[in-house]
Amino acid sequence: MSLGGGGGGQQQLQQLAQEIEQIEEQIEALNGEIEGLRGEKTEIDEAIEAIETLDTGETVQVPLGGGAYLRAEVQDIDEIIVEFGGGYAAEREQDGAIDTLESKQDTLDDRIEDIQSDIAELETESEELEQQAQQMQQQQMQQMQQMQQQGQQDE
């Protein structure tokens, strides 16, 4: 009978280990998402810097895709087309384009904070499960020691 109880405990430990592993995978995925968002923020920073430093008449390299670029002259720095989400874009003057990009950065910052909060919750849950697993292991060890002591006393 005690062996059956020990087996059930082992099964619970395996279940806890699987839950902890799933949480760790979720945390890893969320960290990957944060990295992607930080990459977007870096691109926006570079765009803002370019908009702030470029003037009408300057030559720039325009990416065509596939690693190909075209040299072009900025006709009017106050005619910048900026994506603002949902597949939509609008023409903005220089300051308006920067405002739009900074707003996108704020949205990314909010999303990163939300994800970091989710990660903190998952880490707390994982720590609780690990403590639970440690307690179960200690109980099993104590039960085994008691059984061994009883076996020695019976001899």
Side-chain angles (χ1 to χ4, degrees):
M1 173 128 176
S2 62
L3 288 176
Q10 197 64 29
Q11 197 173 19
Q12 286 177 318
L13 277 174
Q14 286 178 340
Q15 186 177 351
L16 286 173
Q18 287 175 343
E19 288 178 39
I20 291 167
E21 188 175 329
Q22 287 174 344
I23 289 171
E24 288 173 358
E25 288 172 3
Q26 288 176 328
I27 290 172
E28 193 174 316
L30 291 173
N31 278 323
E33 192 173 334
I34 287 175
E35 286 305 308
L37 295 172
R38 286 186 177 146
E40 285 183 53
K41 281 190 65 176
T42 299
E43 288 179 16
I44 291 172
D45 281 335
E46 292 169 357
I48 290 172
E49 184 180 338
I51 291 168
E52 289 175 338
T53 58
L54 284 173
D55 285 320
T56 299
E58 287 192 41
T59 301
V60 294
Q61 291 185 5
V62 179
L64 300 175
Y69 293 83
L70 173 70
R71 290 192 200 282
E73 183 180 305
V74 177
Q75 296 294 315
D76 187 350
I77 195 63
D78 281 326
E79 292 180 0
I80 300 170
I81 298 172
V82 182
E83 289 182 16
F84 54 89
Y88 293 97
E91 187 175 297
R92 301 270 193 237
E93 41 65 290
Q94 190 173 17
D95 291 337
I98 291 171
D99 291 344
T100 301
L101 291 171
E102 287 173 345
S103 175
K104 286 173 78 170
Q105 279 188 319
D106 291 343
T107 301
L108 291 173
D109 285 335
D110 291 344
R111 181 69 184 123
I112 289 170
E113 284 179 29
D114 289 345
I115 293 171
Q116 287 172 333
S117 175
D118 292 345
I119 288 172
E121 288 176 22
L122 287 169
E123 286 173 341
T124 300
E125 186 179 341
S126 177
E127 289 168 11
E128 289 171 359
L129 291 173
E130 286 173 7
Q131 287 175 350
Q132 215 178 344
Q134 286 176 348
Q135 288 173 348
M136 289 178 70
Q137 284 177 322
Q138 288 172 349
Q139 287 173 349
Q140 285 180 355
M141 290 294 286
Q142 288 172 349
Q143 287 174 351
M144 287 176 62
Q145 288 172 349
Q146 288 172 352
M147 287 174 58
Q148 287 175 347
Q149 288 173 353
Q150 284 178 344
Q152 290 173 354
Q153 289 174 355
D154 289 344
E155 290 177 7

